[in-house]
Amino acid sequence: MLFRSLTDHGRHATVYGRAVKWTMEKRRQKRRRDSISTLLNVDDDILSDVVGISRADLKRTLAAPLGVDAAAQIRRLQDRRNIQ
């Protein structure tokens, strides 16, 4: 009985830990997306020169589902622009 209760507790702790990590990741993505959305206030020329992507690319990135990492997507767009 004691052994079973210890293993059940460990399983619940793992589920709780995963839930906490998932929640923290979603919050991190939301904060990043909010900080990226401030780039929409920048002039088109400055956005292209400094960040290296167009306003349309930025809007598409911000419109993606929250499961998509917006910062990683912007980095990929920047890399594609640097290759071309």
Side-chain angles (χ1 to χ4, degrees):
M1 261 331 229
L2 178 61
F3 181 70
R4 183 174 179 191
S5 66
L6 289 176
T7 58
D8 286 346
H9 175 69
R11 188 177 322 138
H12 292 299
T14 303
V15 171
Y16 177 75
R18 287 182 189 164
V20 168
K21 285 181 184 180
W22 182 83
T23 303
M24 290 174 61
E25 178 63 22
K26 291 300 173 188
R27 285 181 183 167
R28 183 187 64 81
Q29 288 180 5
K30 176 80 170 98
R31 281 194 312 267
R32 276 188 174 176
R33 198 165 291 238
D34 290 345
S35 66
I36 291 169
S37 67
T38 60
L39 292 172
L40 290 173
N41 299 330
V42 177
D43 184 55
D44 288 340
D45 294 329
I46 294 172
L47 183 65
S48 178
D49 289 342
V50 174
V51 181
I53 61 172
S54 68
R55 183 172 301 279
D57 289 336
L58 182 62
K59 285 183 179 180
R60 272 194 305 273
T61 301
L62 292 173
L66 282 178
V68 176
D69 189 359
Q73 193 170 359
I74 287 176
R75 278 190 231 99
R76 282 192 295 272
L77 290 169
Q78 290 171 330
D79 290 344
R80 284 186 199 152
R81 181 175 180 220
N82 290 335
I83 290 172
Q84 295 173 355

